[in-house]
Structures are given as structure tokens and as C-alpha cells.
């Protein structure tokens, strides 16, 4: 089938404002949106810029907005799109565009750094592994699936209206450590989250859950953080 | 623009990050990566990381030692392998202490599963040795090491694409890189440069590797006049998804998956009666190709089936959730209900930059070191994998030798101080000239076309089975592509995120070492591990129990010298599974 790809274009060196450019490509329903972007870049217009790497949903490079929804383009099967004859692709919303479909993710990564995204345990480690039961591991398992693609945080209306909101990705990472049986940093992290730009800015809109390519129930994890703050002993 | 650091590490996968974590405790370290670190391809590793922890059943370091030597088809250097298997235990415990969320046993220890070529009692039967986190082992390790680098304030230059090494009189001076977000070329003046730049699966059409895996570190090394070691040994993973090449972890067979031909027969019983589907990758990939060549591919196609249905939905969801996800999403196959069509896929490079066991790069491939230049992980050839790597030994290699590289760099700086060798402005300029030529060239060839042709010829002529005619044709084609590359034209003339230019430079790198692979394969008149010659079907220990050192001459031809294999404990014997 013939597909019209309507692509967001912006070259910081020559354009005063962004515009859309439409490319026509031949495609099969079994192909992914990323395949079509490659076809444009390799066969029609080498100036098109976008990020991608693994092409099977684990590196998190290629999140974009396809027909208005955030997703990984490497997983976006043409046949599964509601609108297939014209596909509109935008960069992830709410972040500054560097060029075409590439956004500046610095603030997204800074928020990740804020929640202390590393195991905090100041006790000397045992000679072998620290023990962790299967139940304890399962408590954090889903939160470790996150690939930091940014699809959730940039789909969050609370984040759109307040750019200082830590956002679902950073909060999910906070959960991953706070609920890790080996971690001793829960108190200091909960202090960071117990703030108007912390977990309380989550209004349970569930956009993050819909956007997550790894099918993580982000909102559930955030609700557990709220519960932990409310019930902790100060 | 000129930047300055004691140590510049190129690549932010497991090897680079582990080295950075080590060296940054004492010295000013910068990590330069063409991707944001969490996008590195180490994160795509699925099945596990090997260590004889004996958490699930009896296991011994010596068994792991023997399996790795035998798996390498006796080409692995046994001093390096002994370090690898000994360091495996403390390395794994350390990764756990740093926070890696491993899957657990009922007792709360790190869980372990079976993997190809890892056996109990020197080859008796498969053993539970691969430490895992479901089928996301690389993902959790990459995240954990990056987290620790954040904690330790390691300096990152993300989306800086390495272009050339600055080295003169065998002394490292620094690195040239393309700062893509800011649209400028920078030079790093440094005392040490370490490469953890990964593999080059994208030299092949069917590959499990990311688009980023273009062997940039190898291309740069070749242009610096340094030879590469054992490049003819390319690993084809048996179970890439048919026509896509996407990896389905060997852990799927470790959990009990079957390989079936068109007759529904578990054909591995003909080839490896003892361990069946858990034979090493070279043997399984050859077996699959033999089945296909003899007409037993599925419906006459270039694939066989990986059948997981008998494992049941619950176990698949718990142990192999990622592959369940992408089989359903990307290929439309539900592993609970139907078998997965698979074919061997280019996966890993056993060869690479010749290094000592302390990760020091060897200028002649044998004993003359390049001062201040280090390499570890897939881009390096220590050689712990010899002619064929065992599954789960790559993550182990990256972390163990990344750590050793970090320690080795610290020792070097402790002994020699941090005063850098004189900066080489002329080399920086020469590198920029090379890039400008590519950027401003007004030829008629397209990068995408040349890359497609390279990937196709490597797949067809330099694949699982090789012979003289095909390899000669392959070599001629590679030579032709090199010439046509001089006549390219790119569309993007801009400076910011010029991915058109980056892709041209990547293709240049692939072409700078493609001949090492093809000519190396043509030169080696035997079959060993991942290198299977139809015209020389036997291993030949008399003439070929030696490493290939391949140097690219100015006219593009490859000059071969050789290095003996280090054999300490296990004498070569016939390899049967």
C-alpha cells in the first residue's frame, strides 16, 4: 500500500519555525513506522533526523508521537494504526526540539538524577550476594522494566502544565529503589517526592499507563509512593 | 574546540561503564558515547551472565574454565580464560551489591539457568550457570552500572560520535569526536583512551544487533595503523527471528525449548546427542543451516522452528516476558500457541582489537603496546572466546575485563602521572579534513545503497558456511564498495545532529575492517568454531592452532601474521557434545 508520511520538520540552522513535510512511501502492513522513517531517510531525503538504535523495543531511543499517541516507532506496526493512509509523526511533546524528530531530553534525565536513582546501602556487603526473597524481588520487578524512553512523562498533562513536575518516569524509578528490600534510602527519597512538584502532582490521569511501551502500570506504582508517604512514621 | 581529561572512555555499554566506575574514583574520567548510555546495546542482552556460583546445583570454576576453552574450539587463550572464570564470582557478587535486580531462587540467592555449552563435570550434561533477570539481564546490568556512574558523578559526553584516535609515536594523545547536539567537532586531549565500542553486527543483513553497532572502534583502530585479531570468527546466533534477525535468547532453550525441522523432528539429536539444543552456538547454527540446505526448512523456507509451547504460559511469562512481548508485537507470533520461525543471525564478534589481559592495546598484535590505549568488551580480543563464544560469557567478559581495564588504567596513571603527551593539532586537522571530504563530496553513490550491498554480500558470502569461491567473490565486492564509497554524496550539509554524515562515517568504519573479516576467512584453511569452511571441513591444529593478526596496508590489502595460542591446562581434543 501507498502511505503518506507527514513528518514534523525543523532545522535549527535554516528554519525560523517548524513545518510538516509529506513523503509518499510504499509499505506493507507488517512493517513498523521506523521502517518507513528509514525508507524516507535512505531513499528520499537524507536530511531527516531521528533517534533509533535497537529496533526491537529495548533501547528506548525511538519514542515519538505517531498520529497523536506516544509510542516506540520500532514497535508501531502499520497494520495496528487506526489511521494508516496518512501517518503523522511528531517529536515527543513538551520537550524542546533540537532538529526534526529529535528532542532535547536533558530535563527528563535531570529529574531522574534528582530522585537518587541508585541503590543506597551503607552496610558492608556480605561475601556473597545479599539475599532477597522472590516476593521481595517481585515487588520491584515491574518497575525495573522501564527503558527511560520518555513516552510516559511527555504524555502527562500534569507535566505539560507544570514542567517542574518530576513526572512518571522519575517517580517510577524512585519506586524501584524505595521498595527494594536491599535499599536504605527510602526516607530521603520520600522527602524529595513529598512535595508539590513531587508525587502529589500526579492526578491519576493514566496517560502514562497508556503510553508505556513496556506495559508498566505506572499509576499504580505512583499510588504506592503516595501511600508510603502518608503512612510513614516521621 | 579542545577538551581535556586524564582518561577518555569511548562507549557506554557494560565494559565502558564498568571501567569508568573504577577509574573515576581516582582520576578525571570522561565517557564519550554516540548514544545516551542507557541506549547502549549491552542493554539488549537477554539470557544471562555466567558464573559458577552453584546457587542451584553443583558447579565449579574449573568446569566453567573447561567449557569456555572447549567452546572456543581451543583457540581461546587459557590464561585470559582462567582470569575470566575466577573473576566471575566476585564480579557477580559486586554487581548484586551495586543493586542489580536479579531473579532469585527460593532461598533468595541469584537465580541461574542453563545455557549452551555450559556443562557439569567436563561435558556430561547442561548445568545451571547463567545468572539472570528474566530475559532482561543486559538491561538491568546496564541500568545498574549507569546508576552507579550517576552516583559517582562520572562525566558523560552523550551523543558525541567518536571519529578518530589521536596517537603518535605509539603514544596516545586523545580523540576526535563529533558533538552532534551542538553541531561541532571537538578534540579530547588525554593521557588515556579506552575503547568499549562494541560489535559490528550491522555489517550483516540479518543481525541481532542495533543500528548503532557499526564497529566504530575497530574502524578507528585500523586507521590508526593497528592490526585486528581473529576477525574471521563471527558468531551467528542460532535463533534470530526469521527475516528480522531479532534475537530470541538461548535462555529459551535453556528453559527447555525445542528446535524442530519441517518434519517436526528435534534434529539436534543428530548433531549433539548429549546436550541437544544446548550445544554451543556455532554447532547449532551449522546444524540449522544443514537442515535448511537439505530441504528440511519450514515449508521450504530459510528457517526452522523454536518451539516453546510445552513450557506453558505461566513459565513463559515469568522467565521470558520480553521475547513473548516482541514476538507478539513485532512478528505476530504468540509463543504460547505457535512455534517461532527462526534462522541464524549475525550476533557477536569473537575477534577485535588485540589486547593484553590488562586491556592494553598491542600495536603489532603481539607484544608491543600502544602507550595509553586500552580496549575491553566485544571490540577487544583478549582472547577469551577464541573461535566461538559461549552464551552469557559476553556480559561476563564486558564486566570482568571492563573492570580490569579500569584498574589497569589507574595503575598506569599512578606510575606515569597525568602529564599528557604533546597534543597533535595536525592530526586533528587531518581528521576534520577526512570528514569534510565525506560531507562535501559530490559523487553519485548513496550511503544507504552501499550499506545494503555490503550487508547482503556479507550475509551471502561470509556467513555460517564458507568456501573459497564465495569468499573470493565477497572480497572482490568489498573492494568494489570501498572504491564506490569514495564517490558518495550525502544530502545533509548541516552541523547539528547530521545523522546523514554520522551514517556515512559509520559505513566508512564498516568498510575499513570488512576486508579483515573476508580476507581472514579466505586465509584460514580449516574449520574451527564460528569459521566453517566447506572446502576445509576439519580443524587443523598442526597449521592453524594460532591467532590471526591482520594488518591493513596502505593499498588496502591485508597482511597476516600469527600469534600462538596460550595453552595452560586443557590440551586440544576432539570437540563433541
Amino acid at each position: 500500500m501507498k502511505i503518506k508520511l507527514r513528518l514534523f520538520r525543523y532545522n535549527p540552522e535554516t528554519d525560523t519555525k517548524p513545518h510538516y513535510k509529506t513523503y509518499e512511501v510504499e509499505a506493507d502492513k507488517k512493517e513498523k513506522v521506523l521502517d518507513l522513517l528509514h525508507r524516507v531517510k535512505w531513499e528520499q531525503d537524507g536530511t531527516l533526523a531521528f533517534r533509533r538504535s535497537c529496533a526491537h523495543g529495548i533501547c528506548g531511543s525511538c519514542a515519538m508521537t505517531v498520529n497523536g499517541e506516544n509510542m516506540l516507532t520500532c514497535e508501531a506496526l502499520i497494520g495496528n494504526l487506526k489511521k494508516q493512509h496518512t501517518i503523522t509523526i511528531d517529536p515527543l511533546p513538551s520537550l524542546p526540539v533540537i532538529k526534526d524528530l529529535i528532542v532535547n531530553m536533558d530535563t527528563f534525565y535531570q529529574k531522574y538524577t534528582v530522585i537518587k536513582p541508585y541503590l543506597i546501602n551503607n552496610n558492608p556487603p556480605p561475601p556473597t550476594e545479599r539475599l532477597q526473597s522472590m516476593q521481595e524481588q517481585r515487588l520491584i520487578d515491574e518497575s525495573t522494566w522501564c527503558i527511560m524512553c520518555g513516552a510516559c512523562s511527555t504524555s502527562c498533562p500534569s507535566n505539560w502544565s507544570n514542567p517542574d513536575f518530576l513526572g512518571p518516569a522519575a517517580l517510577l524509578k524512585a519506586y524501584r529503589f524505595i521498595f527494594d528490600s536491599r535499599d536504605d534510602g527510602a526516607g530521603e527519597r520520600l522527602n524529595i517526592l513529598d512535595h508539590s512538584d513531587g508525587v502529589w502532582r500526579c492526578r491519576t490521569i493514566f496517560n502514562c499507563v497508556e503510553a508505556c511501551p513496556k506495559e508498566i502500570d505506572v499509576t499504580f506504582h505512583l499510588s504506592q509512593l503516595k501511600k508510603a508517604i502518608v503512612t510513614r512514621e516521621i | 574546540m579542545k577538551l581535556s581529561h586524564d582518561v577518555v572512555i569511548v562507549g557506554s555499554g557494560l565494559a565502558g561503564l564498568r571501567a569508568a566506575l573504577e577509574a573515576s574514583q581516582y582520576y578525571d574520567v570522561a565517557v564519550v558515547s554516540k548514544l545516551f548510555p542507557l541506549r547502549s546495546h549491552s542493554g539488549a542482552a537477554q539470557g544471562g551472565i555466567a558464573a559458577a556460583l552453584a546457587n542451584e546445583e553443583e558447579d565449579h570454576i574449573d568446569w566453567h574454565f573447561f567449557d569456555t576453552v572447549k567452546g572456543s574450539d581451543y583457540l581461546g587463550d587459557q590464561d585470559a580464560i582462567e582470569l575470566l572464570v575466577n573473576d566471575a564470582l566476585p564480579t557477580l557478587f559486586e554487581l548484586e551489591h551495586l543493586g542489580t535486580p536479579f531473579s532469585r531462587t527460593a532461598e533468595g540467592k541469584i537465580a541461574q539457568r542453563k545455557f549452551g555449552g555450559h556443562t557439569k563435570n567436563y561435558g556430561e550434561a547442561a548445568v545451571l550457570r547463567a545468572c539472570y533477570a528474566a530475559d532482561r539481564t543486559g538491561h538491568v546490568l546496564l541500568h545498574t552500572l549507569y546508576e552507579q556512574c550517576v552516583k559517582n558523578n562520572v562525566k558523560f559526553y552523550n551523543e558525541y560520535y567518536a571519529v578518530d584516535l589521536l596517537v603518535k609515536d605509539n603514544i596516545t594523545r586523545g580523540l576526535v569526536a563529533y558533538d552532534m547536539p551542538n553541531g561541532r567537532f571537538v578534540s579530547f586531549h588525554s593521557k588515556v583512551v579506552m575503547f568499549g565500542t562494541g560489535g559490528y553486527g550491522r555489517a550483516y543483513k540479518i543481525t541481532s544487533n542495533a543500528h548503532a553497532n557499526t564497529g566504530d572502534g575497530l574502524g578507528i583502530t585500523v586507521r590508526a595503523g593497528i592490526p585486528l585479531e581473529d576477525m574471521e570468527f563471527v558468531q551467528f546466533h542460532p535463533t534470530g527471528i526469521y527475516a528480522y534477525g531479532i534475537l530470541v535468547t538461548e535462555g529459551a532453550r535453556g528453559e527447555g525449548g525445542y528446535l524442530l525441522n519441517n518434519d517436526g523432528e528435534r534434529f539436534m539429536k543428530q548433531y549433539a546427542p548429549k546436550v541437544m539444543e544446548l550445544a554451543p552456538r556455532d554447532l547449532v547454527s551449522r546444524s540449522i543451516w544443514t537442515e535448511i540446505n537439505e530441504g528440511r526448512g519450514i515449508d521450504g523456507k530459510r528457517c526452522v522452528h523454536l518451539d516453546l509451547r510445552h513450557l506453558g504460559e505461566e513459565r513463559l511469562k515469568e522467565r521470558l516476558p520480553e521475547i513473548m512481548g516482541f514476538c507478539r508485537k513485532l512478528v505476530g507470533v504468540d509463543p504460547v500457541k505457535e512455534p517461532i520461525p527462526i534462522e541464524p543471525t549475525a550476533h557477536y564478534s569473537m575477534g577485535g582489537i588485540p589486547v593484553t589481559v590488562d586491556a592494553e592495546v598491542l600495536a603489532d598484535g603481539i607484544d608491543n603496546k600502544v602507550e595509553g590505549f586500552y580496549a575491553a568488551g566485544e571490540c577487544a580480543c583478549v582472547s577469551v572466546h577464541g573461535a566461538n563464544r559461549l552464551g552469557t560469557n559476553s556480559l561476563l567478559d564486558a564486566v570482568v575485563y571492563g573492570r580490569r581495564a579500569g584498574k589497569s588504567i589507574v595503575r598506569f596513571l599512578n606510575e606515569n602521572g597525568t602529564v599528557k603527551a604533546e597534543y597533535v593539532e595536525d592530526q586533528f586537522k587531518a581528521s576534520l579534513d577526512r570528514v569534510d571530504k565525506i560531507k562535501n563530496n559530490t559523487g553519485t553513490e548513496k550511503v544507504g545503497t552501499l550499506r545494503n550491498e555490503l550487508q547482503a554480500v556479507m550475509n551471502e558470502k561470509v556467513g555460517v558456511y564458507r568456501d573459497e569461491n564465495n569468499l573470493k567473490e565477497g572480497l572482490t565486492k568489498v573492494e568494489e564498495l570501498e572504491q564506490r564509497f569514495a564517490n558518495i554524496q550525502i544530502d545533509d550539509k548541516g552541523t547539528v545532529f547530521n545523522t546523514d554524515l554520522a551514517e556515512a562515517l559509520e559505513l566508512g568504519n564498516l568498510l575499513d575492517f570488512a576486508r579483515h573479516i573476508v580476507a581472514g576467512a579466505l586465509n584460514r584453511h580449516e574449520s574451527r568454531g564460528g569459521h566453517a569452511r566447506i572446502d576445509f571441513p576439519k580443524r587443523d591444529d598442526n597449521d592453524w592452532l594460532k591467532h590471526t593478526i591482520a594488518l591493513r596496508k596502505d593499498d588496502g590489502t591485508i597482511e597476516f601474521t600469527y600469534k600462538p595460542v596460550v595453552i595452560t591446562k586443557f590440551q586440544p581434543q576432539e570437540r563433541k557434545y
Side-chain angles (χ1 to χ4, degrees):
Chain A
M1 63 192 285
K2 273 214 175 353
I3 287 182
K4 284 197 171 98
L5 273 186
R6 190 168 161 265
L7 305 181
F8 178 100
R9 300 296 311 265
Y10 172 68
N11 182 341
E13 294 165 76
T14 55
D15 297 339
T16 48
K17 58 177 188 185
H19 60 281
Y20 287 93
K21 190 166 178 191
T22 302
Y23 299 85
E24 205 162 276
V25 289
E26 195 57 47
D28 185 286
K29 278 178 189 288
K30 285 182 178 168
E31 289 186 291
K32 268 72 69 181
V33 169
L34 180 61
D35 298 327
L36 307 195
L37 288 173
H38 275 143
R39 201 157 294 151
V40 170
K41 183 170 179 65
W42 294 340
E43 295 168 13
Q44 299 185 32
D45 186 351
T47 67
L48 178 68
F50 55 91
R51 291 191 178 102
R52 90 291 191 246
S53 191
C54 79
H56 65 279
I58 195 69
C59 80
S61 300
C62 70
M64 294 171 215
T65 305
V66 180
N67 289 342
E69 290 178 47
N70 285 3
M71 59 184 79
L72 297 178
T73 57
C74 72
E75 288 187 342
L77 225 64
I78 305 300
N80 287 348
L81 297 177
K82 284 173 209 138
K83 220 174 132 208
Q84 295 171 13
H85 290 286
T86 302
I87 302 171
T88 302
I89 305 176
D90 289 278
L92 286 177
S94 79
L95 294 173
V97 174
I98 300 177
K99 181 180 182 181
D100 295 339
L101 299 164
I102 297 177
V103 291
N104 183 334
M105 296 184 79
D106 288 354
T107 55
F108 174 76
Y109 296 135
Q110 278 155 15
K111 289 173 183 176
Y112 159 89
T113 311
V114 166
I115 59 91
K116 305 186 183 228
Y118 38 81
L119 192 82
I120 298 174
N121 184 327
N122 295 323
N123 297 317
T128 61
E129 67 267 65
R130 290 193 175 96
L131 298 181
Q132 182 173 54
S133 72
M134 286 166 131
Q135 289 75 11
E136 288 167 335
Q137 195 276 333
R138 281 193 193 119
L139 190 63
I140 58 164
D141 186 55
E142 189 171 330
S143 66
T144 68
W145 304 349
C146 174
I147 55 174
M148 292 287 290
C149 67
C152 62
S153 291
T154 61
S155 75
C156 172
S158 294
N159 217 354
W160 297 340
S161 62
N162 188 333
D164 291 334
F165 173 37
L166 284 174
L171 293 169
L172 181 73
K173 188 59 77 175
Y175 174 101
R176 178 252 171 275
F177 289 103
I178 288 168
F179 287 89
D180 189 326
S181 60
R182 302 166 294 174
D183 185 87
D184 296 332
E188 49 186 303
R189 285 200 201 86
L190 288 175
N191 286 341
I192 298 166
L193 306 192
D194 186 9
H195 184 274
S196 58
D197 288 326
V199 73
W200 302 115
R201 185 128 347 245
C202 164
R203 302 287 200 264
T204 61
I205 301 165
F206 289 94
N207 273 18
C208 53
V209 180
E210 278 188 26
C212 178
K214 305 316 284 184
E215 295 168 18
I216 301 170
D217 189 346
V218 187
T219 310
F220 166 78
H221 289 83
L222 269 52
S223 75
Q224 295 303 300
L225 291 170
K226 291 173 181 171
K227 202 163 136 192
I229 292 173
V230 174
T231 57
R232 70 174 163 159
E233 289 174 15
I234 301 167
Chain B
M1 182 169 169
K2 192 171 126 191
L3 300 157
S4 181
H5 293 282
D6 296 337
V7 181
V8 170
I9 294 175
V10 187
S12 58
L14 295 189
L17 293 182
R18 188 60 193 83
L21 208 51
E22 197 69 36
S24 65
Q25 295 175 58
Y26 310 98
Y27 291 100
D28 166 30
V29 175
V31 179
V32 173
S33 169
K34 70 175 173 179
L35 304 171
F36 180 73
L38 295 178
R39 319 284 176 226
S40 305
H41 198 58
S42 295
Q46 297 170 359
I49 173 166
L53 303 184
N55 280 356
E56 305 247 17
E57 63 175 328
E58 184 184 357
D59 197 4
H60 297 280
I61 291 171
D62 206 53
W63 294 355
H64 188 192
F65 186 9
F66 171 77
D67 289 340
T68 303
V69 172
K70 182 179 170 186
S72 81
D73 220 346
Y74 295 90
L75 192 71
D77 288 317
Q78 297 185 16
D79 54 342
I81 296 173
E82 194 167 5
L83 285 169
L84 179 82
V85 297
N86 278 326
D87 272 7
L89 277 70
T91 297
L92 257 287
F93 294 137
E94 184 183 70
L95 288 169
E96 196 284 329
H97 297 153
L98 294 175
T100 308
F102 284 109
S103 296
R104 299 286 171 159
T105 67
E107 296 166 293
K109 295 177 174 177
I110 297 170
Q112 297 185 282
R113 61 162 51 121
K114 293 173 183 171
F115 243 79
H118 290 282
T119 68
K120 58 184 83 177
N121 209 13
Y122 310 98
E124 254 176 36
V127 72
L128 296 157
R129 186 178 291 151
C131 306
Y132 66 92
D135 54 357
R136 306 183 179 92
T137 312
H139 166 76
V140 298
L141 290 174
L142 180 67
H143 276 246
T144 301
L145 288 182
Y146 180 66
E147 289 156 6
Q148 291 298 313
C149 286
V150 169
K151 185 181 180 186
N152 289 288
N153 290 312
V154 173
K155 172 80 183 158
F156 283 94
Y157 291 91
N158 298 327
E159 300 184 312
Y160 279 55
Y161 178 60
V163 175
D164 276 307
L165 185 72
L166 299 175
V167 58
K168 189 181 168 188
D169 303 331
N170 235 6
I171 300 169
T172 302
R173 319 288 171 127
L175 183 85
V176 183
Y178 169 30
D179 167 2
M180 294 193 282
N182 296 305
R184 58 186 185 171
F185 282 79
V186 299
S187 67
F188 290 89
H189 187 201
S190 69
K191 179 96 173 175
V192 169
V193 172
M194 179 203 149
F195 279 4
T197 53
Y200 56 78
R202 286 283 157 179
Y204 284 82
K205 184 176 169 194
I206 299 292
T207 177
S208 64
N209 284 197
H211 286 283
N213 290 22
T214 50
D216 300 311
L218 301 187
I220 294 170
T221 302
V222 168
R223 285 194 298 279
I226 297 166
L228 300 178
E229 180 172 347
D230 289 343
M231 289 293 283
E232 60 271 35
F233 297 102
V234 179
Q235 177 163 84
F236 296 87
H237 193 291
T239 57
I241 294 178
Y242 171 59
Y244 292 85
I246 299 171
L247 178 70
V248 177
T249 174
E250 192 168 312
R253 282 171 283 137
E255 295 293 339
Y258 300 149
L259 289 172
L260 305 175
N261 61 18
N262 201 38
D263 304 329
E265 179 198 19
R266 283 180 74 187
F267 57 85
M268 282 309 297
K269 65 174 183 262
Q270 323 287 350
Y271 306 95
K274 253 196 274 180
V275 291
M276 299 285 285
E277 281 87 355
L278 290 175
R281 290 175 179 171
D282 58 333
L283 177 49
V284 180
S285 285
R286 283 197 297 278
S287 307
I288 292 171
W289 262 110
T290 304
E291 291 294 307
I292 293 169
N293 287 340
E294 292 177 1
R296 292 185 295 278
I298 304 300
D299 301 330
K301 288 187 288 193
R302 197 189 58 215
C303 65
V304 296
H305 274 150
L306 172 63
D307 193 352
L308 307 177
R309 289 174 294 183
H310 56 287
L311 301 179
E313 183 162 13
E314 201 180 328
R315 182 162 175 156
L316 290 175
K317 267 188 178 160
E318 187 199 320
R319 302 286 180 93
L320 303 165
E322 278 295 324
I323 69 148
M324 292 267 284
F326 63 66
C327 281
R328 285 170 172 167
K329 277 195 219 171
L330 303 184
V331 202
V333 169
D334 183 351
V336 175
K337 296 186 186 132
E338 39 197 333
I340 310 166
I342 56 98
E343 67 172 308
T345 183
H347 184 59
Y348 188 88
S349 167
M350 270 72 74
I353 305 167
V355 292
T356 68
V357 294
D358 290 313
E360 301 149 305
V361 175
L362 296 164
D364 56 358
I366 294 168
D367 54 16
N368 183 21
K369 293 171 199 164
V370 183
E371 189 183 304
F373 187 25
Y374 296 77
E378 187 175 345
C379 72
C381 182
V382 186
S383 151
V384 287
H385 309 304
N388 172 64
R389 172 175 73 76
L390 294 187
T392 70
N393 267 353
S394 60
L395 293 185
L396 184 64
D397 171 23
V399 183
V400 164
Y401 278 94
R403 184 170 175 257
R404 288 187 70 85
K407 286 181 188 296
S408 177
I409 288 166
V410 168
R411 261 198 319 274
F412 169 73
L413 292 174
N414 285 348
E415 286 163 16
N416 295 280
T418 56
V419 178
K420 300 173 188 66
E422 195 189 350
Y423 180 65
V424 280
E425 180 72 21
D426 54 326
Q427 280 193 24
F428 177 54
K429 288 218 169 95
S431 177
L432 295 191
D433 284 348
R434 183 176 76 82
V435 174
D436 277 344
K437 247 189 191 160
I438 289 171
K439 191 172 169 181
N440 300 322
N441 201 351
T442 53
T444 51
E445 299 281 359
K446 297 276 273 184
V447 169
T449 310
L450 297 186
R451 186 179 47 218
N452 284 347
E453 289 184 30
L454 175 68
Q455 290 169 339
V457 74
M458 293 298 286
N459 236 73
E460 283 158 27
K461 309 289 181 191
V462 203
V464 171
Y465 280 116
R466 300 153 175 199
D467 65 36
E468 182 169 313
N469 284 342
N470 276 314
L471 290 170
K472 278 187 171 159
E473 282 175 40
L475 193 58
T476 306
K477 180 73 183 179
V478 167
E479 288 166 12
E480 174 207 310
L481 290 169
E482 280 178 29
Q483 284 167 13
R484 287 167 61 194
F485 181 71
N487 185 36
I488 58 165
Q489 175 160 201
I490 64 170
D491 296 339
D492 196 342
K493 307 294 178 190
T495 58
V496 176
F497 264 108
N498 188 336
T499 51
D500 207 18
L501 175 62
E503 285 191 23
L505 294 170
E506 287 174 341
L507 176 62
N509 285 332
L510 288 170
L511 287 171
D512 277 339
F513 60 80
R515 279 205 220 187
H516 294 71
I517 305 170
V518 190
L522 187 58
N523 182 54
R524 186 174 279 269
H525 288 184
E526 66 158 352
S527 289
R528 183 186 295 272
H531 172 66
R533 287 281 299 255
I534 294 167
D535 41 356
F536 298 98
K538 292 254 182 292
R539 192 176 83 195
D540 177 1
D541 287 339
N542 285 332
D543 290 333
W544 288 104
L545 184 57
K546 58 189 179 188
H547 297 291
T548 303
I549 304 294
L551 179 72
R552 189 183 164 102
K553 310 290 283 180
D554 287 341
D555 64 359
T557 56
I558 305 291
E559 181 184 275
F560 294 104
T561 49
Y562 302 94
K563 180 161 81 171
V565 177
V566 179
I567 295 169
T568 57
K569 185 165 180 180
F570 300 106
Q571 289 304 315
Q573 46 178 284
E574 199 191 349
R575 186 164 166 257
K576 275 190 189 161
Y577 286 93

